[in-house]
Amino acid sequence: MTSAVDGLKQRFMDMSQPDADGVYRDGAAKRKARTDLAMDCLTKLWQEACQTVSFDVPQAGIGLGAVGSLARGQVGPSSDLDLVVIYEPHALTDQQLNELANKLWYPIWDSGLDLDQSVRTRAQCEAVTDHDLPAAMGWLDVVPIAGDTQLIESTAISILERWRRAARKRLPELLGSAKSRLDEFGRMAYGNQPDIKESRGGLRDSVLVSALAASWLADRPHGQYDDAVERLLDVRDCIHLVANKDTNMLLAPYQARVSAMLGLADPTLPSGEREAKSIDDLQTLLARVGRQIAFSLDSTASRAEHSLTHEKPRFAFFQVFQPRGGGKRQAPTFDVVAPGIAKHEEEIVLAPGADPKSDPCLVLRAAVAAAEFGLPIAPGTLQNLKSCPIDDRTWNDESRSLFLRLLASGPALLQVWEEIDFVDIPGRLIPEWLAIRNRPSASAVHRYTIDRHSVEVVTRLGRETPRGNRYDDRHYQALLLAGILHDIGKRPGVADHAAEGARHASTVLKRMGFDRDIIWWVTLLVREHLTLSEFATGQNPNDPNVGDELASRLDHDPLLLDMLFDLTCADGSSLGATAGETISKQYGWSKWRETLVRTMYNATRYHM
C-alpha cells in the first residue's frame, strides 16, 4: 500500500542535486523546498493515518508537530525527521495512540529516512524540556503540521515561556554544555576531519545562539553570522550528497568531492593539484565560518552573563545612607592588570582611557593577561584590538618580551591564540603564519590543522631538561620559538618542509629583532626537528657513526640535543591521534616510540 511519504528520501536527494557543472547552488532555496515537501507529505500522511485507523481520531486534543531541523527549515538531503505527536490526556486510549503512531512512523521508516519520534502530552513535553537541556534547545522551535494545530502552538508557547523563566538559572548549564562539546569534539577550524555539527563553531553552536536569544537575555547577531550559518549548512548538504547518508563528519574520502561541489575546485589546475588546493580552500572556508559562529556564541553568551550581572543592584540598602556613595549606584570597577588592560566581570577588557589606535603593544598585553589570569578576552575588546597599529616591522623589546610570555603560558595559550587569531593578530605580526593558518595536514596521524598543531606543541614545552635541570632564559625562549615555528615551512608544493621552515624561521626572527645566537638555535632546531625521530626509527643507536652524525648536526652542543629531544616529544605527542582516536585509527606517539627516541638521544649524548 502506498503512502504520502513513499520514496521521500530519494525525492530529497533528487531535488538537491548540484547544477550541470557539478556545483551546489542556492542551498537556502533547496532547504526551503525540502522543508515544504516534507511538511506537505507529512500533512497527507496524517490524513491517511486518521482514515485507516480503526477508530475516529478527534479533531481536537491531538496533533502532529515538527521539531529540530525540520522546524527550523534546515532539512538536509539525508536529514532525519524529528516529529512529535502531542495529545491531551483521555483524548485517546493507549492502544489507540499506539495504533495511530504506527500508521505514522512505519511509512517514514519505509521511505528510507531516519526518524526521531515521540508521543507526549503537553505536560510531558514541558517536563522533558525542564530537565533535559539538549531536548530543551531542540524544542524551542515546535511547528504544527496537522491535527489540532492550536494544541501544538500552545505547547510551543508554553515551552518557550518556561525556558525564559528558567534561563537565568540554566545559563551556567547551557554554557557548560558548550564547554563539554568543545572538550570532546574540539574546534571545527582546527580539525582535519571535523564534525561540522558538534565541534566548536558548528551547527550545534548556532542552535545554542538561538536558545540564548530566545531566553531574552541577549539578542543574537545577524549579518555575517547568518551568512556563516547558511554556508555551513551548504557544506552539510554537500556531505549528505557525497556520503548518501545522514552524517556530519567531513571525512577525508569526502573532502575533494565536497570541495568541488561547493565550487572550490579550480578547473585550470591539473588533476591532483586541483583536489589538494580545493581541500585547502575548504579548510579555510570551515575555519572562517566556524570562527564566526564560535565568536558569535561567545559574544552572545557574554552579553547574557552581563545582563544577569546587571540585573542585580551594585549597592546594598544601607549604602543609600553613606555620603561616599551619595545614595547612587556605584560605577563599575576595573582591576587594572597591565598598562591599558583590566579585569572586569571575569573578562579581560581595555582599561578606561586605553587607546588601541596609538598603542601597538596593547593587543599582546591583553593576550598575556588573558593567558596568565585564565580569563577570556571580552568580544568587544577583541574587536577594538583590531585597530592596534601592528605589523611585522613593529617589534621592540616590549613586544618581544610579551610574545615570549604568551608562548610560555602553557595550556592557556590555546584559547588565547584562538581569540587573537580570530581578529588576525598572529598573521599581522608574522605574515608567514598565514601560509599554514587553517591548512590541513596531509598526514593521517594529524587530527589538527598545521597552525593548531604548532600551538599545541608550544604548550607542551617546559623549562625542565631531559636530565632534570632547568633551561636558562635564552635557551628556553629559543625552544618556545622553535615550537611555534617548527612547521612554518609546510606549504603547498614544498617537499622538505623542515629545510623550508628553517629558511623562514631565520627571516622571521631577524625581523623580530632577536640576537644571532637565538636565531641560530631556532633555525637549527626547525631544520632538524624530524631528525631525532627519523634516526630513532631508522638507524641503529649502537652504530657509533650514527650517534656521531647526529651530534655533528647539532654542533656537538648537549643543550641543543636536550632542546631537540623536548621538541621531538612535544611534536610527536601533540598530533592528536591517541588510543581513543575514532577517526584515523593511527597513532603518532606511544611509549615504544618515546623509548626509541630516548635511546637515540642517549647514544648521541655519549658522542658529545
Side-chain angles (χ1 to χ4, degrees):
M1 181 177 177
T2 61
S3 78
V5 295
D6 278 355
L8 186 55
K9 178 179 180 179
Q10 188 58 49
R11 293 160 72 183
F12 279 170
M13 296 294 283
D14 291 342
M15 66 192 305
S16 306
Q17 293 304 307
D19 295 345
D21 60 356
V23 177
Y24 184 81
R25 295 184 178 89
D26 301 321
K30 287 184 170 69
R31 284 185 285 278
K32 183 180 185 304
R34 286 192 295 267
T35 301
D36 290 345
L37 175 62
M39 299 295 272
D40 181 61
C41 291
L42 290 169
T43 300
K44 294 176 181 176
L45 178 64
W46 173 268
Q47 295 168 352
E48 292 174 358
C50 291
Q51 292 169 1
T52 55
V53 292
S54 60
F55 55 91
D56 292 331
V57 178
Q59 295 296 312
I62 186 167
L64 177 65
V67 296
S69 62
L70 179 58
R72 294 191 296 270
Q74 297 177 346
V75 175
S78 291
S79 290
D80 62 352
L81 299 181
D82 293 310
L83 302 174
V84 58
V85 170
I86 300 178
Y87 68 99
E88 296 282 9
H90 311 303
L92 295 176
T93 67
D94 290 345
Q95 182 178 355
Q96 290 171 333
L97 280 171
N98 186 60
E99 183 181 347
L100 178 61
N102 287 339
K103 295 290 186 180
L104 294 170
W105 309 150
Y106 278 97
I108 296 174
W109 286 321
D110 292 341
S111 75
L113 286 171
D114 291 329
L115 175 65
D116 187 356
Q117 87 288 350
S118 59
V119 180
R120 292 192 174 102
T121 65
R122 170 172 166 168
Q124 289 171 336
C125 292
E126 293 169 345
V128 168
T129 54
D130 284 347
H131 298 97
D132 186 340
L133 188 65
M137 288 192 293
W139 281 56
L140 292 179
D141 297 291
V142 183
V143 177
I145 298 175
D148 188 348
T149 57
Q150 186 175 356
L151 172 63
I152 307 295
E153 290 172 351
S154 64
T155 302
I157 292 171
S158 174
I159 290 172
L160 194 55
E161 289 175 345
R162 296 169 76 91
W163 172 257
R164 287 170 180 156
R165 287 196 299 269
R168 285 155 177 76
K169 294 182 179 179
R170 302 191 74 175
L171 183 60
E173 182 187 2
L174 197 65
L175 301 182
S177 70
K179 175 64 167 59
S180 298
R181 283 191 293 103
L182 172 60
D183 293 341
E184 181 175 357
F185 296 98
R187 295 182 180 274
M188 186 171 69
Y190 292 146
N192 268 342
Q193 302 183 96
D195 185 323
I196 67 164
K197 181 178 182 180
E198 301 294 347
S199 58
R200 182 69 156 173
L203 294 171
R204 184 76 74 186
D205 278 353
S206 70
V207 176
L208 186 49
V209 169
S210 297
L212 287 169
S215 71
W216 288 352
L217 293 174
D219 189 16
R220 76 171 188 82
H222 300 279
Q224 290 182 330
Y225 168 75
D226 289 331
D227 294 341
V229 173
E230 289 298 325
R231 194 56 171 155
L232 189 55
L233 286 168
D234 288 345
V235 175
R236 187 277 316 268
D237 292 353
C238 291
I239 295 174
H240 283 193
L241 292 171
V242 169
N244 195 33
K245 63 180 180 180
D246 182 14
T247 178
N248 299 295
M249 294 296 300
L250 184 56
L251 300 178
Y254 305 154
Q255 290 177 1
R257 293 174 60 194
V258 169
S259 301
M261 203 173 287
L262 290 167
L264 301 177
D266 185 348
T268 66
L269 295 176
S271 179
E273 184 180 344
R274 180 193 313 135
E275 288 76 13
K277 175 66 165 56
S278 70
I279 292 173
D280 279 0
D281 291 343
L282 174 60
Q283 187 67 48
T284 301
L285 167 67
L286 288 178
R288 176 175 59 80
V289 301
R291 282 175 167 147
Q292 182 62 58
I293 293 171
F295 179 79
S296 297
L297 172 58
D298 289 340
S299 59
T300 305
S302 176
R303 289 194 298 272
E305 290 179 309
H306 287 176
S307 71
L308 291 184
T309 299
H310 296 306
E311 283 180 348
K312 303 172 184 177
R314 287 199 181 90
F315 59 91
F317 177 75
F318 64 82
Q319 287 178 313
V320 174
F321 302 102
Q322 293 183 355
R324 184 178 62 183
K328 299 179 181 178
R329 290 173 63 93
Q330 295 180 352
T333 57
F334 293 86
D335 181 9
V336 177
V337 296
I341 303 299
K343 291 191 296 181
H344 175 60
E345 294 181 356
E346 297 302 307
E347 289 181 325
I348 297 299
V349 300
L350 296 181
D355 182 11
K357 296 180 180 178
S358 63
D359 190 345
C361 289
L362 196 61
V363 64
L364 285 174
R365 281 191 225 113
V368 169
E372 293 182 349
F373 286 98
L375 296 174
I377 303 175
T381 297
L382 270 179
Q383 293 294 346
N384 288 329
L385 290 172
K386 291 175 66 174
S387 62
C388 283
I390 58 172
D391 57 42
D392 59 326
R393 302 289 175 178
T394 56
W395 291 97
N396 55 33
D397 289 344
E398 183 185 6
S399 58
R400 280 191 297 273
S401 175
L402 288 167
F403 187 69
L404 290 168
R405 279 175 64 187
L406 179 61
L407 294 184
S409 60
L413 175 65
L414 295 170
Q415 174 66 26
V416 177
W417 193 277
E418 163 67 14
E419 291 174 341
I420 63 173
D421 198 38
F422 176 74
V423 290
D424 303 321
I425 299 302
R428 290 167 63 189
L429 292 171
I430 307 174
E432 290 81 356
W433 183 260
L434 298 175
I436 64 169
R437 186 176 185 242
N438 308 326
R439 279 208 70 216
S441 176
S443 172
V445 299
H446 280 261
R447 171 187 289 179
Y448 301 118
T449 53
I450 297 168
D451 56 338
R452 170 67 175 208
H453 164 70
S454 299
V455 179
E456 286 270 358
V457 167
V458 178
T459 67
R460 296 167 188 248
L461 295 171
R463 292 205 68 138
E464 185 174 332
T465 72
R467 293 173 290 160
N469 302 320
R470 284 177 61 82
Y471 290 112
D472 61 71
D473 288 346
R474 286 166 51 75
H475 281 87
Y476 184 53
Q477 291 168 4
L479 181 58
L480 294 172
L481 291 166
I484 199 67
L485 297 174
H486 78 283
D487 273 348
I488 201 73
K490 277 192 173 179
R491 297 151 183 263
V494 172
D496 186 348
H497 78 271
E500 179 75 2
R503 184 174 68 83
H504 287 294
S506 176
T507 301
V508 168
L509 297 178
K510 287 177 183 176
R511 200 168 57 232
M512 294 175 76
F514 285 100
D515 63 59
R516 183 178 61 184
D517 286 343
I518 286 184
I519 293 173
W520 171 240
W521 295 336
V522 175
T523 301
L524 187 148
L525 288 171
V526 173
R527 187 188 70 203
E528 304 295 341
H529 77 271
L530 300 174
T531 303
L532 186 56
S533 180
E534 290 174 348
F535 272 47
T537 56
Q539 302 288 341
N540 180 5
N542 297 318
D543 184 344
N545 293 325
V546 171
D548 189 58
E549 179 184 349
L550 184 51
S552 66
R553 291 197 187 189
L554 301 174
D555 294 341
H556 289 271
D557 185 337
L559 260 181
L560 283 177
L561 177 61
D562 288 349
M563 295 162 72
L564 181 61
F565 176 82
D566 284 339
L567 180 59
T568 301
C569 292
D571 187 17
S573 63
S574 62
L575 295 177
T578 66
E581 174 62 75
T582 59
I583 298 175
S584 67
K585 295 294 185 184
Q586 298 191 37
Y587 315 125
W589 194 247
S590 63
K591 291 288 186 182
W592 169 78
R593 185 175 291 271
E594 183 177 358
T595 300
L596 292 179
V597 169
R598 186 172 288 278
T599 300
M600 183 59 68
Y601 161 82
N602 290 331
T604 306
R605 278 201 61 82
Y606 175 79
H607 289 275
M608 289 184 172

